[in-house]
Amino acid sequence: KGKSKVIDRTVSVNGEVVETEHLKNEVTKKPVNKVILVGTKERPPTTGTGTFIWPAYAGTYTVTSEFKWRWGRHHDGIDMGCRTGNDVLAADGGTVIQAGPYYGYGNLVIIDHENGIQTYYAHNSSLLVSVGDKVFQGQHIAEAGNTGHSYGSHIHFGVKENGSFQNPRNYLPAE
């Protein structure tokens, strides 16, 4: 915002302004059309730390299916039953390499953590990131849903290391 030094002549009768005459307006600081001040808080790192967090806030989900064989095939992740629209969080920093519909995963986000590990967040109702975005640990990247081959609203969370799916529980802190 700019600043001006203004000189006016005001006439008042019984405390009520009845006349104002503008005499002089001197600009002392011109307005600027850009950000001139940036906060001091450092931006969280957008590269993988190797330490993961759960992809939803505690108390907002229930684990409904584990990394295991079921229905004649292997389930390559953990399902976290929750409400549609529940915040889906990046388990660690990295670069988004997939953001959109992907076969049975429905609306899928894949984050490459640049350390041989990728994380999968599937069945989302909406996505808040795009391919190429740099994300930080805990960033709200999507909203949970029931897209793709799914039986109810949940977050499917998968971890792929060096091209093979691994049990996500081996990467997550205890609940």
Side-chain angles (χ1 to χ4, degrees):
K1 296 181 179 180
K3 290 185 179 182
S4 293
K5 184 178 181 181
V6 178
I7 300 174
D8 288 340
R9 183 178 64 83
T10 305
V11 177
S12 298
V13 176
N14 293 330
E16 188 175 315
V17 176
V18 292
E19 182 184 333
T20 301
E21 182 182 356
H22 180 67
L23 300 175
K24 186 176 181 183
N25 183 4
E26 180 184 332
V27 175
T28 58
K29 183 178 177 187
K30 289 187 178 185
V32 179
N33 242 358
K34 63 179 182 179
V35 176
I36 56 172
L37 181 65
V38 178
T40 58
K41 185 174 181 180
E42 287 186 32
R43 182 182 165 123
T46 57
T47 55
T49 63
T51 302
F52 287 1
I53 62 169
W54 281 84
Y57 296 115
T60 65
Y61 66 90
T62 301
V63 173
T64 56
S65 186
E66 297 284 349
F67 181 84
K68 64 180 182 178
W69 283 93
R70 66 174 197 188
W71 306 327
R73 63 185 206 104
H74 198 269
H75 180 243
D76 292 329
I78 292 176
D79 287 347
M80 303 162 61
C82 60
R83 293 179 184 210
T84 297
N86 199 68
D87 291 358
V88 179
L89 312 174
D92 199 4
T95 303
V96 176
I97 61 170
Q98 165 69 34
Y102 192 81
Y103 303 105
Y105 285 115
N107 291 325
L108 173 68
V109 173
I110 301 175
I111 298 174
D112 183 356
H113 301 287
E114 300 162 18
N115 55 8
I117 299 175
Q118 297 174 342
T119 49
Y120 284 57
Y121 311 80
H123 308 300
N124 302 294
S125 62
S126 66
L127 306 180
L128 306 176
V129 294
S130 301
V131 172
D133 286 355
K134 302 281 187 185
V135 297
F136 56 86
Q137 185 178 65
Q139 182 174 334
H140 184 189
I141 58 169
E143 294 184 347
N146 189 23
T147 62
H149 298 157
S150 174
Y151 299 98
S153 183
H154 70 284
I155 301 165
H156 170 91
F157 177 65
V159 175
K160 195 181 253 191
E161 186 169 11
N162 298 321
S164 299
F165 280 105
Q166 304 296 318
N167 187 342
R169 287 211 183 256
N170 296 337
Y171 299 80
L172 294 167
E175 283 184 276

